Amino acid sequence: MPLLNRGPRGGRRDFDGGWSEAGDVRELAVRGHHPATPLLEACSNPHCASGWLHLWRSRSAPILEGGWTCSPVCTEERIEAAVRRELDGRGSGTIAYRHRLPLGLLMMEQGWITSAQLKQALDAQKAAGAGRLGQFLVRQQGVSEQLVTRALSLQWSCPVLPLEFHDPEALSPLLPRLFVDAFEALPLRVAAGRLVYLGFEERLDPVLALALERMSGLRVESGLVRGSEYRPAHARMLEAVFPPVELLEASSEPALVRALAKVLERARPVQSRLVRMHDCLWLRMWNKTQPGTLPDVSSVRDVIGSIGACSGE
């Protein structure tokens, strides 16, 4: 089901409140949160046509992926290059993962279930017309949930992750709420300021994990969480306060580029980054320098853009 099929094409909707305009950013600069651009710093757009004239322009933002742009034209050209870079990678990592051994056969091979249990669970699944095999094994065949999760971890070659010390409010700045909900991801904890543990119930999402790595600069370790622990923890996670998000749906790539460039020019962030998340583009903007490993919820804003519709397919 498309994530962004709400509203007219090319339209923009703002969720969770407003965002600072250029005047607010200038005020932050006075207070010391916004690093001033050195006088002789060059525009980060390699095709900038302003030459030495940009030295007289009184702006120190926006900054996109570490580079300052001297004008709205240069901002749009840099966004265009970033969008093209990300869209060129579409299709990689989106092919359905094929396990070498189906779950039922793997559990039989390990001696965790019998052929009769597997047959009865498969028959029940077929009769129901929906549902996962592991659920029928647990509910109808008395197989322990721990064994099913362990078998799934063998399929995915990943660890089973514990859930203790889970703090949803502390972890909510990592991802937009929309991604946590739609892609069933559960940030678990940050270790040593360098590693994020990301939990899933039955299947990993390597595309999401890579996007989080690129956006946060942290290494992501994905794993599975037992369903009885995952489901209530995921529900609590969705109740946390997340960074504000704006959804953009454009009719074409040039239209999306223009919309994203306008957002950057309006917000004037001290840092911003663009990464692909399945068929979406995720732009994160920081309105002040990030002092620690995780940003404060109020210091970042997310923009999720798509051409036509955004889905996890």
Side-chain angles (χ1 to χ4, degrees), residues 28-74:
L28 287 174
V30 173
R31 294 177 182 175
H33 295 292
H34 193 313
T37 302
L39 179 62
L40 298 179
E41 183 173 345
C43 175
S44 61
N45 177 20
H47 306 294
C48 177
S50 64
W52 53 267
L53 292 175
H54 74 262
L55 299 178
W56 274 262
R57 292 180 177 169
S58 57
R59 57 184 261 157
S60 54
I63 297 176
L64 173 63
E65 298 178 346
W68 166 75
T69 53
C70 71
S71 68
V73 172
C74 285

Side-chain angles (χ1 to χ4, degrees), residues 32-249:
H33 295 292
H34 193 313
T37 302
L39 179 62
L40 298 179
E41 183 173 345
C43 175
S44 61
N45 177 20
H47 306 294
C48 177
S50 64
W52 53 267
L53 292 175
H54 74 262
L55 299 178
W56 274 262
R57 292 180 177 169
S58 57
R59 57 184 261 157
S60 54
I63 297 176
L64 173 63
E65 298 178 346
W68 166 75
T69 53
C70 71
S71 68
V73 172
C74 285
T75 298
E76 184 170 329
E77 290 184 358
R78 283 218 61 207
I79 277 286
E80 181 181 11
V83 167
R84 186 174 297 117
R85 175 195 71 208
E86 297 303 314
L87 294 184
D88 283 348
R90 282 183 299 186
S92 60
T94 60
I95 299 174
Y97 184 88
R98 293 183 179 275
H99 300 295
R100 288 176 295 179
L101 194 62
L103 178 67
L105 293 180
L106 188 151
M107 295 187 73
M108 278 185 55
E109 187 179 76
Q110 295 291 328
W112 295 337
I113 61 173
T114 65
S115 58
Q117 285 177 308
L118 176 58
K119 183 179 185 306
Q120 290 172 15
L122 289 171
D123 289 343
Q125 183 186 39
K126 182 178 180 181
R132 294 163 176 164
L133 178 62
Q135 295 172 338
F136 290 98
L137 287 170
V138 172
R139 295 172 185 172
Q140 297 185 5
Q141 300 302 315
V143 179
S144 76
E145 180 188 45
Q146 185 175 0
L147 281 181
V148 172
T149 305
R150 187 176 172 188
L152 289 168
S153 74
L154 290 175
Q155 276 192 319
W156 287 98
S157 300
C158 72
V160 177
L161 299 174
L163 198 62
E164 62 263 14
F165 310 117
H166 185 237
D167 186 350
E169 294 292 343
L171 296 164
S172 61
L174 277 171
L175 285 167
R177 185 186 186 281
L178 182 63
F179 291 164
V180 173
D181 189 13
F183 302 122
E184 301 180 339
L186 180 62
L188 296 175
R189 60 189 174 278
V190 177
R194 297 188 300 270
L195 177 64
V196 177
Y197 288 98
L198 189 63
F200 299 89
E201 183 178 6
E202 291 201 351
R203 57 182 298 112
L204 305 188
D205 190 333
V207 175
L208 185 147
L210 177 60
L212 179 57
E213 278 195 346
R214 295 178 60 204
M215 185 62 78
S216 67
L218 303 172
R219 188 166 68 87
V220 175
E221 177 77 25
S222 295
L224 298 176
V225 178
R226 281 196 297 175
S228 60
E229 296 179 338
Y230 168 90
R231 288 186 289 272
H234 192 257
R236 290 193 299 271
M237 187 80 213
L238 292 174
E239 293 174 356
V241 178
F242 287 81
V245 63
E246 183 176 354
L247 306 182
L248 295 176
E249 186 174 319

